Amino acid sequence: MSEAPYQVIAGELRRRIEAGELLPGDRVPSTRALTRDFGVAMATATKALQVLQAERLVHASPGVGTVVGTPPRARRTAAADGTPDLNRDEVVRMGVAIADTEGLAALSMRRIAAELGVSTMALYRYVGGKDALVVQMVNEVIGEFPLGEIPAYWRDAVAMVARVHWAAYRRHLWLASAISLSRPQLVPRLLPHTNAVLGALHGFEKHAAMSTMISLFAYVRGIALVMESEAQAEQDTGETADEWVTRQSDQLAAMIAAGNLGAFQELLADGFDYEYDLDQLFEFGLGVFLDGLEARR
């Protein structure tokens, strides 16, 4: 059986490290560079780096990326009161670095402590527990996507906020699963986003405005969750969504024929081929959402 694409990439990077082409402290190619150089999806590139991290050949470095070498485990210089020389921002950035490269499931206080070279208990002084840390991580990455000037036209304002959130979810795949809509966390940098949408819905009845705002954020987050789960599936199988659909096509055609599903048969007639592009799907759904909203105004 041939190697999965992520294994091929991991093998090449491992060879470069062992040959001294990449030295300790050197930054390895980013996931974006790997997708370009090897012609693979982002999830495949991420999986390749995860393999090397599990082998302790590379580690996440906040503000830098993934670098060669084992995580720094040396104990930090203690302050006068005996606590490590550490700060909240450093802990949060390390949490983001781990979540970006390995997913939210890989995040733990113990893992962060190991990466920073401190005891696990030392972290609680700066960020509280894991739940509190995740809220601070959300606030940190949302800060990368300022709203800027809010458009005067309501439709443009709503679309801008939705696209800002989509961009954030695209850069940080873990973000969608970290945000709750039923029990929304108190994230200071998200409040202006909510305020912008509510401002654009000025004139709506209050319950309708609230429901519309929640529905908008739920739509964007829902598409982003598909992106996250697809990335995980591709990591696990080494197979893209298009490749999976192609492999299932004969079985699907047989099921449609057996069920006499006329609408499906009409859709797939004449070799219809649907390009499953999440960016296009997001924009299409956003347009439908805005058209429906316009009809209610």
Side-chain angles (χ1 to χ4, degrees):
M1 182 179 296
S2 60
E3 289 186 314
Y6 78 88
Q7 293 173 318
V8 173
I9 298 172
E12 172 58 19
L13 293 179
R14 188 185 300 109
R15 183 197 66 77
R16 295 179 192 177
I17 293 171
E18 292 174 349
E21 297 174 16
L22 290 171
L23 300 174
D26 286 351
R27 181 179 178 181
V28 302
S30 66
T31 52
R32 189 174 301 277
L34 293 174
T35 60
R36 182 189 65 243
D37 295 343
F38 288 88
V40 297
M42 186 73 73
T44 301
T46 300
K47 178 66 173 178
L49 294 182
Q50 288 177 344
V51 169
L52 299 179
Q53 287 164 347
E55 296 174 3
R56 316 302 285 178
L57 291 175
V58 301
H59 69 277
S61 178
V64 178
T66 302
V67 299
V68 177
T70 57
R73 292 177 174 272
R75 302 295 294 185
R76 292 168 175 262
T77 303
D81 61 359
T83 60
D85 180 16
L86 192 62
N87 60 69
R88 185 200 68 86
D89 289 345
E90 190 174 4
V91 178
V92 172
R93 287 196 301 269
M94 178 56 75
V96 171
I98 293 171
D100 279 349
T101 56
E102 301 179 47
L104 204 59
L107 184 72
S108 69
M109 301 296 275
R110 177 178 296 180
R111 171 65 188 282
I112 294 173
E115 295 280 3
L116 293 175
V118 301
S119 70
T120 302
M121 291 305 297
L123 299 182
Y124 291 89
R125 174 184 177 92
Y126 302 96
V127 295
K130 180 180 177 180
D131 290 344
L133 169 62
V134 170
V135 172
Q136 294 174 68
M137 288 166 54
V138 171
N139 194 56
E140 177 77 13
V141 299
I142 288 297
E144 300 171 9
F145 300 88
L147 288 181
E149 184 176 353
I150 308 299
Y153 181 42
W154 71 268
R155 183 170 178 135
D156 291 342
V158 172
M160 185 190 73
V161 175
R163 288 173 179 139
V164 166
H165 278 220
W166 180 247
Y169 290 139
R170 288 289 270 158
R171 182 179 299 177
H172 303 283
L173 294 183
W174 56 270
L175 183 58
S177 60
I179 291 178
S180 172
L181 293 178
S182 60
R183 301 188 180 189
Q185 304 98 324
L186 300 180
V187 181
R189 288 173 174 163
L190 274 177
L191 293 178
H193 298 219
T194 303
N195 187 69
V197 174
L198 291 175
L201 300 176
H202 179 71
F204 269 56
E205 185 270 330
K206 289 184 178 181
H207 284 85
M210 189 71 173
S211 295
T212 300
M213 181 268 295
I214 294 172
S215 297
L216 174 69
F217 289 147
Y219 164 69
V220 183
R221 178 177 178 270
I223 297 291
L225 285 171
V226 172
M227 181 169 53
E228 182 187 30
S229 62
E230 169 54 27
Q232 185 61 54
E234 187 170 332
Q235 289 177 12
D236 293 341
T237 65
E239 187 177 52
T240 67
D242 286 340
E243 291 169 341
W244 184 89
V245 170
T246 298
R247 187 166 55 82
Q248 302 291 325
S249 58
D250 290 343
Q251 184 178 356
L252 174 61
M255 293 173 65
I256 291 172
N260 193 28
L261 304 177
F264 256 125
Q265 291 172 334
E266 183 178 352
L267 175 69
L268 299 178
D270 303 321
F272 172 74
D273 184 25
Y274 180 77
E275 182 180 357
Y276 188 73
D277 184 294
L278 282 174
D279 289 314
Q280 293 181 13
L281 186 62
F282 162 73
E283 286 293 339
F284 177 83
L286 178 60
V288 171
F289 184 95
L290 294 171
D291 289 346
L293 188 58
E294 188 161 26
R296 291 183 59 96
R297 289 184 67 86

